[in-house]
């Protein structure tokens, strides 16, 4: 285990993300706050406009010391992520065996198993635990959201979309195989995701997960993926690219709440539904997920202009080259960091009132998303 001290390995193929359960030496909480923002409208994101606060500009680790003191200070985030990533990877491997036609299954496995931080499935499992369930209850949903996430990456990289040749440090699916195979691999993963989620055989035989929860989860995932969710965000993103002038903050919010945040929302909400959360608990967890989903994109935009392709495992500076509007482009780098800190704070507020022991993974995952380096 000593060799794992500075890293958490998320997959068996070696992709790594820099995580730590100790405070980062780069972060000094006593750093004075920035001057007040003069234009409140500049941060008029619907559910987080009131949030403010500095973000450590060069944090290189997950600073779990930023979590509230009442939340299990000895929580082993590294161990938790190792454990959950391992069972998720086994489930994904079993879900897509090599079969005829072999080429399409090879392409599906290439993209699904070729790395990734597994944030979405771990969020799904963690939300299920908060609601009183356990891994087996939410594993079909965890597998489903990771399949759909992988589908979205395959399609996003296509020449007709964002046209990117690099994904997770390797050639994109359409480069490793070909464009038609990549399209079909994404389609197959989308169909398989709903099949796993809806199949009664995917769940424990003890009946803890009643059929009405499964049906509700299927409907929730369908909404999040379709023309009201992921597809809507991708369409709006394509329409906003190459205009020559930045889009408005409202339009940028719409794009990222749908293209990025909605699948993290689905991950958390599906876990909560299958774990037996009440409607009020589900909505609070939904707000948490939307905050960290938008936070994920803000951090992604910051990393795109501050990190290299080698550090990111994908093409750096791609958004700037394609004339996309990003948060740093619209707000500037420092105000983007301030906005990210506000979203992090708001996400944690949504978890107040839940069992602090059970919410520890969600709090630490929010910190990881805020301070990740790739």
């Amino acid at each position: 285990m000593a060799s794992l001290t500075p890293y958490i390995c998320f997959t068996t193929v070696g992709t790594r993300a820099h995580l730590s359960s100790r405070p980062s030496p780069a972060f000094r909480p006593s750093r004075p706050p920035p001057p007040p923002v003069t234009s409140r409208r500049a941060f008029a994101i619907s559910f987080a406009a009131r949030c403010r606060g500095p973000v450590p500009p060069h944090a290189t680790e997950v600073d779990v010391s930023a979590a509230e003191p009442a939340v299990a200070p000895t929580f082993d985030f590294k161990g938790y992520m190792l454990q959950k990533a391992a069972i998720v990877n086994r489930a994904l491997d079993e879900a897509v065996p090599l079969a005829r036609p072999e080429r399409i299954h090879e392409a599906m496995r290439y993209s699904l198993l070729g790395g990734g931080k597994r944030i979405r499935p771990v969020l799904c499992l963690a939300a299920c635990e908060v609601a009183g369930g356990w891994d087996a209850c939410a594993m079909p949903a965890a597998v489903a959201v990771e399949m759909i996430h992988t589908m979205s990456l395959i399609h996003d990289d296509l020449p007709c979309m964002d046209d990117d040749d690099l994904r997770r440090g390797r050639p994109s699916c359409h480069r490793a195989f070909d464009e038609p195979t990549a399209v079909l691999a994404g389609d197959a993963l989308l169909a398989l995701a709903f099949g796993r989620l809806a199949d009664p055989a995917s769940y424990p035989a003890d009946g803890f997960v009643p059929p009405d929860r499964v049906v509700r989860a299927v409907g929730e995932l369908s909404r999040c993926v379709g023309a009201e969710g992921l597809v809507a965000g991708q369409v709006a993103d394509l329409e906003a690219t190459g205009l020559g002038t930045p889009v408005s903050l409202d339009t940028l919010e719409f794009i990222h709440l749908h293209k990025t945040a909605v699948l993290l929302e689905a991950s958390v909400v599906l876990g909560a539904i299958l774990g037996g959360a009440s409607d009020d608990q589900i909505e609070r967890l939904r707000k948490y997920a939307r905050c960290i989903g938008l936070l994920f994109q803000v951090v992604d935009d910051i990393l795109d202009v501050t990190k290299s392709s080698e550090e990111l495992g994908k093409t750096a500076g791609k958004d700037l080259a394609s004339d996309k509007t990003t948060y740093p482009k619209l707000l500037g780098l420092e105000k983007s960091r301030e906005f990210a800190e506000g979203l992090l704070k708001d996400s944690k507020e949504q978890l107040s009132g839940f069992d602090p022991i059970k919410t520890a993974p969600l709090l630490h995952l929010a910190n990881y998303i805020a301070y990740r380096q790739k």
Side-chain angles (χ1 to χ4, degrees):
M1 288 297 292
S3 64
L4 295 177
T5 299
Y7 293 103
I8 288 179
C9 302
F10 287 94
T11 72
T12 56
V13 296
T15 295
R16 296 183 172 189
H18 198 68
L19 299 171
S20 172
S21 59
R22 297 183 298 276
S24 167
F27 180 30
R28 296 291 181 268
S30 59
R31 184 168 69 89
V37 179
T38 56
S39 174
R40 189 170 180 84
R41 181 171 179 78
F43 291 93
I45 301 299
S46 58
F47 55 82
R50 69 183 186 279
C51 300
R52 297 291 184 271
V55 161
H58 303 296
T60 57
E61 296 177 327
V62 178
D63 181 16
V64 299
S65 66
E68 285 77 6
V71 179
T74 58
F75 176 72
D76 182 10
F77 184 46
K78 179 172 69 175
Y80 182 88
M81 292 299 293
L82 280 168
Q83 177 196 12
K84 299 304 181 186
I87 61 174
V88 167
N89 284 327
R90 285 197 298 271
L92 293 171
D93 185 39
E94 293 170 2
V96 189
L98 279 175
R100 295 183 62 186
E102 289 186 2
R103 184 169 178 79
I104 192 65
H105 287 88
E106 288 172 354
M108 293 164 68
R109 289 175 62 83
Y110 174 86
S111 294
L112 185 64
L113 305 177
K117 294 177 282 292
R118 307 305 187 213
I119 291 174
R120 290 155 190 82
V122 174
L123 279 168
C124 185
L125 299 179
C128 183
E129 292 169 0
V130 169
W134 60 94
D135 288 348
C137 303
M139 188 56 71
V143 167
V145 294
E146 188 66 9
M147 288 179 174
I148 291 174
H149 174 55
T150 301
M151 173 276 295
S152 72
L153 299 181
I154 293 173
H155 287 178
D156 201 44
D157 290 337
L158 291 170
C160 63
M161 297 287 186
D162 280 2
D163 192 14
D164 206 324
D165 294 338
L166 192 64
R167 175 65 65 179
R168 292 171 173 169
R170 305 193 303 169
S172 301
C173 188
H174 69 279
R175 288 299 183 189
F177 293 84
D178 54 62
E179 193 171 341
T181 300
V183 172
L184 293 172
D187 293 346
L189 285 169
L190 177 61
L192 183 58
F194 279 97
R196 299 290 291 193
L197 182 60
D199 187 357
S202 299
Y203 297 90
D206 60 10
F208 181 83
V209 183
D212 63 313
R213 291 186 196 170
V214 177
V215 171
R216 183 175 180 181
V218 170
E220 180 74 27
L221 186 58
S222 174
R223 182 193 64 79
C224 288
V225 173
E228 298 178 46
L230 185 63
V231 171
Q234 182 65 49
V235 170
D237 189 31
L238 291 171
E239 290 177 345
T241 300
L243 295 178
T245 56
V247 300
S248 68
L249 189 62
D250 286 344
T251 299
L252 190 62
E253 175 191 357
F254 179 91
I255 291 170
H256 294 314
L257 281 176
H258 291 77
K259 183 177 178 179
T260 303
V262 75
L263 199 49
L264 279 85
E265 176 186 339
S267 302
V268 172
V269 171
L270 263 61
I273 290 172
L274 295 171
S278 68
D279 288 347
D280 177 66
Q281 290 173 329
I282 289 170
E283 290 312 306
R284 288 172 61 195
L285 289 169
R286 185 190 301 278
K287 291 176 182 177
Y288 157 85
R290 286 179 177 172
C291 287
I292 64 167
L294 194 54
L295 172 64
F296 191 98
Q297 185 60 52
V298 176
V299 172
D300 220 41
D301 286 355
I302 293 170
L303 293 176
D304 189 62
V305 297
T306 59
K307 296 293 181 179
S308 67
S309 298
E310 291 73 22
E311 290 172 306
L312 295 178
K314 60 182 180 179
T315 307
K318 191 74 169 51
D319 292 340
L320 184 63
S322 58
D323 196 29
K324 281 191 175 184
T325 301
T326 64
Y327 284 99
K329 186 175 181 178
L330 201 60
L331 303 176
L333 196 55
E334 286 307 311
K335 287 186 178 179
S336 295
R337 286 172 171 149
E338 293 169 21
F339 182 48
E341 182 67 13
L343 289 168
L344 176 61
K345 178 183 176 183
D346 203 40
S347 71
K348 292 177 180 180
E349 289 176 356
Q350 300 303 325
L351 298 177
S352 61
F354 288 99
D355 182 339
I357 303 300
K358 290 184 177 180
T359 57
L362 294 179
L363 286 168
H364 284 75
L365 278 161
N367 283 332
Y368 167 63
I369 289 171
Y371 304 131
R372 66 195 174 92
Q373 296 297 298
K374 62 186 300 182

